[in-house]
Amino acid sequence: MKKTFRYLLKGILAFVAFLLVTFIVLKLVYNDDIPKGIPGTPADEMAFKLLDAIHHKKFTEAKEIHWTFRGDHRYEWKLQQNMVAVYWEDYRVLYQTQYPEISFAFKNGKRLEGEEQQAAIDDAAFHFNNDSFWVVAPHKIFDIGTTRELVEENGKQKLLVTYHSGGTTPGDSYLWEVDENYQPIAFKMWVRIIPLDGIEVTWSNWEMTAGGFPLSRKRSLFGIEVPVTDLKVIP
């Protein structure tokens, strides 16, 4: 019994050591400082070109966007009403994005109240803020509380967007890379919830939606696809 325990302990320690070494290596590789750029008109001009490339005006006119994230949270976002229905497990939350205080929450079809309702609403808001970003992030570069800088990197012009307020993790920055038509192809990110700086996420497989604007169908991090499925736009 003791011998088995020693083998088990050695295995656990070896696994922990492997994780530690992996983290240290990744931290050394992904330890970029946030680049400095030119704010103001030059950055905003590039931002407008990016928005034109993804038909932002059509996006603002869409009625609904539906998707599932990680297979466990499902969203029906009614853009014109600033409301999103969030479904997971036995919960359904009608989250009002501009006025969260008038949101409602249900469990097994029964309306929740008090602290239980607030916990469900907070959960829905947290997941919606994160999960919707992986669907429509390029459309959020002029959100309230953002600043933009034009960055020259490796002979290319890139757009640095920093979110100073709003959302769940204010202070996050994203450096967008675009193709020759100003369509986004990737960003590097500096975010609170990930202790690695400058990780790149690719945005590819852009397809036109029923709403008249394209959306990326594939976003990849370390070669692993971000799990957005059942993506649909209702014009």
Side-chain angles (χ1 to χ4, degrees):
M1 186 69 178
K2 290 182 178 180
K3 189 174 182 179
T4 301
F5 177 75
R6 284 198 299 270
Y7 280 128
L8 180 61
L9 181 59
K10 287 181 179 180
I12 293 173
L13 291 175
F15 180 67
V16 171
F18 170 77
L19 291 179
L20 181 60
V21 170
T22 300
F23 174 77
I24 292 173
V25 170
L26 288 173
K27 185 63 177 175
L28 291 173
V29 173
Y30 296 100
N31 192 32
D32 296 342
D33 292 331
I34 300 177
K36 298 294 184 180
I38 303 172
T41 300
D44 288 349
E45 286 179 349
M46 181 176 179
F48 284 126
K49 290 177 180 178
L50 187 158
L51 291 180
D52 285 343
I54 58 175
H55 302 189
H56 177 68
K57 186 174 186 301
K58 287 291 187 181
F59 164 78
T60 64
E61 297 170 350
K63 290 182 179 179
E64 298 184 24
I65 301 178
H66 297 186
W67 75 95
T68 301
F69 194 84
R70 290 200 186 96
D72 55 15
H73 278 69
R74 182 165 60 88
Y75 301 89
E76 296 177 359
W77 184 12
K78 300 181 186 296
L79 282 76
Q80 307 308 317
Q81 287 79 31
N82 299 306
M83 193 275 288
V84 56
V86 186
Y87 301 85
W88 76 98
E89 297 176 355
D90 300 324
Y91 289 90
R92 176 171 66 97
V93 173
L94 302 179
Y95 175 59
Q96 231 294 339
T97 58
Q98 287 193 333
Y99 304 101
E101 63 274 12
I102 62 173
S103 302
F104 299 100
F106 302 84
K107 185 175 183 181
N108 291 320
K110 182 180 178 181
R111 182 172 171 178
L112 301 176
E113 296 181 356
E115 293 182 359
E116 193 173 9
Q117 172 173 258
Q118 190 59 52
I121 292 172
D122 290 346
D123 195 334
F126 174 83
H127 284 91
F128 173 71
N129 289 337
N130 176 79
D131 301 353
S132 63
F133 194 83
W134 290 107
V135 177
V136 299
H139 293 279
K140 297 176 67 63
I141 59 178
F142 274 101
D143 275 10
I144 295 173
T146 59
T147 57
R148 290 152 298 283
E149 298 178 36
L150 183 65
V151 175
E152 293 281 350
E153 186 177 82
N154 301 322
K156 296 181 179 180
Q157 289 189 335
K158 301 182 180 181
L159 184 67
L160 179 68
V161 181
T162 300
Y163 294 81
H164 297 281
S165 63
T168 304
T169 57
D172 294 348
S173 294
Y174 301 83
L175 181 65
W176 284 100
E177 180 179 355
V178 299
D179 65 13
E180 64 277 7
N181 299 313
Y182 289 92
Q183 183 168 276
I185 58 176
F187 65 44
K188 288 183 178 179
M189 57 182 179
W190 290 262
V191 298
R192 290 186 185 183
I193 62 173
I194 299 178
L196 305 174
D197 298 324
I199 294 177
E200 184 175 84
V201 177
T202 60
W203 289 63
S204 59
N205 291 19
W206 288 82
E207 295 181 6
M208 188 61 67
T209 67
F213 60 93
L215 285 176
S216 171
R217 299 288 178 161
K218 185 177 182 181
R219 296 141 298 269
S220 299
L221 171 67
F222 296 133
I224 301 173
E225 190 170 346
V226 177
V228 176
T229 57
D230 306 319
L231 182 58
K232 179 175 66 173
V233 174
I234 299 176

